Amino acid sequence: MLFRYYRDGKRFYALARPGTDGSVSLAAYEMDFSCVTLYLNEGAFPGVVRTADKVLQLLPMKQLLAHFGAFLLHSSRISYHGKAILFTAPSQTGKTTQARLWREYAGAEIAGNDRTLLRMTGGEIVTSGYPVDGSSPVYSSEELPLGAVVVLRQGLENRVKRLSVASALRFLMEQTALDAWNGAEKSAAQQFWLETVARRPVYLLSCRPDEGAVQCLKNQLEEDEVIPGGFDTP
């Protein structure tokens, strides 16, 4: 969703999809999001809101979430032995494919297809689904503690390595839903990811779309005690 932002004193405004027929909507909100009002342009765009998830698309959700310490990562999410493993990468790199391979060969549950919401609570990184989940939505509201984040790259063989803090931060920021113009939002995201990397591992997995990719990563996760070892795959 394309937004145009304005500020008038302490009040902010977000115009959704501004064009020759006007904007789809106007969201007016306070800096601390204590009050948010959404106006719909039903005259030019009748029936623009038919489902609750559409409302989220018309609100400045990235700023709102960041204000409360939560961030959206472009990623698939699987649930494996009570932990969330996130696969992140640019579109068409294989996030959904790897999630499906883990379901097929390791018995994991796919808990999100395109976006994962992360936040810190009680010193632990917690993940959950997000209702607006891409073109092929798979959404679960189940909260799961973060086990690891896996950055995907297509490769001729399956290899995995743990990333340094600097490399992990760069990859995570690239796949975080942020407004480039909002310095405070970017700063909050950087601090969140630095705290996350200090607690949980981030890996780079160069892989093929096959069972070997699952076993390669699974071995590393067991070695690093992210997940318990000794479980047979189905």
Side-chain angles (χ1 to χ4, degrees):
M1 180 65 67
L2 175 65
F3 284 95
R4 183 176 296 164
Y5 296 95
Y6 298 91
R7 180 177 180 179
D8 180 11
K10 295 183 179 180
R11 200 160 176 79
F12 292 78
Y13 302 90
L15 293 171
R17 284 173 50 190
T20 56
D21 294 329
S23 298
V24 172
S25 66
L26 168 67
Y29 54 101
E30 305 296 328
M31 184 182 301
D32 62 357
F33 292 95
S34 58
C35 179
V36 180
T37 306
L38 180 65
Y39 302 92
L40 301 176
N41 187 356
E42 284 280 354
F45 303 93
V48 64
V49 174
R50 299 182 184 275
T51 57
D53 64 320
K54 188 64 176 179
V55 175
L56 296 181
Q57 292 181 322
L58 299 176
L59 291 172
M61 290 303 299
K62 294 189 290 292
Q63 298 97 306
L64 189 153
L65 291 171
H67 179 77
F68 292 102
F71 298 91
L72 279 173
L73 184 68
H74 185 211
S75 60
S76 294
R77 181 176 68 133
I78 62 170
S79 173
Y80 191 69
H81 292 292
K83 297 286 185 66
I85 309 299
L86 307 185
F87 297 103
T88 185
S91 298
Q92 307 302 315
T93 306
K95 298 186 303 298
T96 300
T97 297
Q98 288 301 316
R100 289 172 177 169
L101 288 170
W102 269 78
R103 180 178 60 186
E104 180 178 358
Y105 295 113
E109 176 187 351
I110 299 177
N113 190 52
D114 190 61
R115 294 175 177 87
T116 303
L117 184 64
L118 299 98
R119 61 188 177 87
M120 183 86 68
T121 177
E124 184 174 53
I125 310 297
V126 176
T127 72
S128 61
Y130 190 66
V132 183
D133 192 51
S135 57
S136 301
V138 176
Y139 168 71
S140 171
S141 60
E142 180 184 11
E143 289 192 339
L144 294 167
L146 178 65
V149 181
V150 182
V151 180
L152 293 179
R153 289 291 181 269
Q154 296 177 353
L156 298 178
E157 56 183 317
N158 298 312
R159 290 184 177 179
V160 62
K161 68 174 182 178
R162 186 165 181 172
L163 291 171
S164 67
V165 171
S167 294
L169 181 62
R170 176 170 61 85
F171 283 120
L172 292 169
M173 288 295 292
E174 287 175 354
Q175 298 306 318
T176 303
L178 293 171
D179 289 305
W181 58 269
N182 195 321
E185 188 180 328
K186 290 176 65 177
S187 178
Q190 287 177 335
Q191 184 59 40
F192 174 81
W193 288 125
L194 283 171
E195 293 177 4
T196 298
V197 174
R199 289 168 169 80
R200 307 308 307 160
V202 179
Y203 301 98
L204 177 65
L205 176 64
S206 299
C207 59
R208 302 186 302 265
D210 59 19
E211 182 181 0
V214 175
Q215 195 60 51
C216 176
L217 177 58
K218 185 171 178 288
N219 290 342
Q220 186 67 57
L221 294 176
E222 290 178 352
E223 180 179 332
D224 293 345
E225 299 183 339
V226 175
I227 58 175
F231 288 91
D232 294 330
T233 57

